[in-house]
Amino acid sequence: MKIAHPLVSVVDDDESVRESLPDLIKEFGFSVRAFSSAEEFLASDTIGKTRCLILDVSMPGMTGPELQRELKCRGLPIPIVYITAHRDDTVRPRLLEQGAVECLFKPFSDAALEEALSSALSRP
């Protein structure tokens, strides 16, 4: 009998992140899908199966926070862990206030990501 692993979706316009992050997430014991844009994620069949979203804050087209608002409008309360390369002390508190589980600044440690994922997946 195959055990289903929770699906984590990664949405980031940075190709190097989309290539490296899924391997790490799989090591933590999760299934993973990667998308290059919020629009690509929204058009996928993965939305309803995604248990946690690792989301870049700044992307061309729809930004991470815009995707978060769209998911709320659709009634899809997927826990979100933001990742960003832009060190701005106002970003993290604002994202957490809007309902994100965590906001990690690149480069972040494996342990910080694993802790954020555990926290996101333990939410009811």
Side-chain angles (χ1 to χ4, degrees):
M1 188 168 107
K2 189 178 176 191
I3 297 172
H5 298 286
L7 178 63
V8 175
S9 290
V10 175
V11 181
D12 197 313
D13 61 314
D14 184 335
E15 188 176 350
S16 64
V17 171
R18 288 195 314 276
E19 288 177 356
S20 61
L21 211 49
D23 292 338
L24 177 61
I25 293 167
K26 285 176 188 167
E27 284 180 31
F28 297 154
F30 302 109
S31 297
V32 64
R33 290 272 315 270
F35 301 91
S36 61
S37 69
E39 294 86 352
E40 184 185 358
F41 174 70
L42 286 172
S44 76
D45 63 352
T46 305
I47 295 178
K49 302 171 194 153
T50 297
R51 298 264 293 121
C52 180
L53 192 55
I54 297 180
L55 185 55
D56 190 10
V57 175
S58 303
M59 296 180 286
M62 183 182 277
T63 67
E66 289 168 345
L67 174 56
Q68 183 179 15
R69 282 192 291 279
E70 177 62 28
L71 292 171
K72 273 187 184 159
C73 287
R74 294 183 183 197
L76 299 166
I78 301 169
I80 294 174
V81 173
Y82 279 105
I83 55 176
T84 183
H86 305 286
R87 282 221 173 256
D88 176 344
D89 292 338
T90 64
V91 169
R92 187 174 184 275
R94 189 174 69 241
L95 293 172
L96 295 178
E97 190 177 290
Q98 292 169 0
V101 175
E102 184 56 273
C103 178
L104 303 173
F105 292 105
K106 297 174 189 174
F108 45 82
S109 70
D110 295 0
L113 180 62
E114 188 171 22
E115 189 176 313
L117 283 170
S118 294
S119 178
L121 292 165
S122 66
R123 290 191 167 194

